[in-house]
Amino acid sequence: MTRYALVSLAALAFAGAAGAQSPDLTGKWSGYWASDKNGHTGPLNATFVPQGDSSYRVTYRGRFAKVIPFRYSTTMDVVGTGDGVVLLSAEKRLGPMGTFRTTATATGSNFDATFTSRRDSGRFVLSRR
């Protein structure tokens, strides 16, 4: 687990004690993705659809190398909530690319995620449209 995820978990544990409500992430988001391994970056849009109280179906759409479109859907599980913050996690096997893991911290207006796979790691940074 990354230092960022540990800090987020500690913040959520403290905030959860106060009994505050977590944000609803339903809707459209936009921003960018960035690779830590090779420096590539590009635009990213996402649509969050709730799947009960404990997960969201998230569809990401973006571009790689400025012109190559991609689309990726996953179920992100809510693994913690707190004072206006929700912590999410997802894991999905993507064939030869290996397992793609994502951990995110989100508020009602910002979504900051780290991703890792066999050959890459980086971030998704989104804001509510």
Side-chain angles (χ1 to χ4, degrees), residues 5-52:
L6 289 173
V7 170
S8 297
L9 283 171
L12 287 172
F14 176 77
Q21 189 132 356
S22 64
D24 179 8
L25 306 180
T26 302
K28 296 181 185 244
W29 297 70
S30 62
Y32 68 93
W33 65 271
S35 170
D36 294 336
K37 297 271 184 174
N38 56 31
H40 289 165
T41 188
L44 183 68
N45 293 304
T47 303
F48 287 71
V49 177
Q51 304 290 295

Side-chain angles (χ1 to χ4, degrees), residues 1 4 14 21 25 27 33 40 45 51 56 62 64 69-71 74 76 79 84 87 95 98 106 108-109 118:
M1 185 174 287
Y4 180 76
F14 176 77
Q21 189 132 356
L25 306 180
W33 65 271
H40 289 165
N45 293 304
Q51 304 290 295
Y56 288 89
F64 177 79
F70 68 84
R71 180 179 172 191
T74 191
M76 296 202 75
V79 296
L87 184 65
S109 59
R118 183 177 352 160

Side-chain angles (χ1 to χ4, degrees), residues 53-122:
D53 292 336
S54 61
S55 65
Y56 288 89
R57 184 71 178 165
V58 183
T59 301
Y60 298 100
R61 290 179 180 86
R63 282 193 312 273
F64 177 79
K66 297 184 182 182
V67 295
I68 302 168
F70 68 84
R71 180 179 172 191
Y72 168 70
S73 293
T74 191
T75 298
M76 296 202 75
D77 296 317
V78 174
V79 296
T81 60
D83 187 17
V85 178
V86 62
L87 184 65
L88 303 117
S89 179
E91 186 172 301
K92 185 171 184 177
R93 178 104 176 114
L94 294 176
M97 292 179 63
T99 301
F100 193 82
R101 292 178 180 87
T102 310
T103 302
T105 302
T107 66
S109 59
N110 295 302
F111 176 89
D112 192 359
T114 58
F115 68 85
T116 60
S117 68
R118 183 177 352 160
R119 296 184 184 157
D120 201 4
S121 65

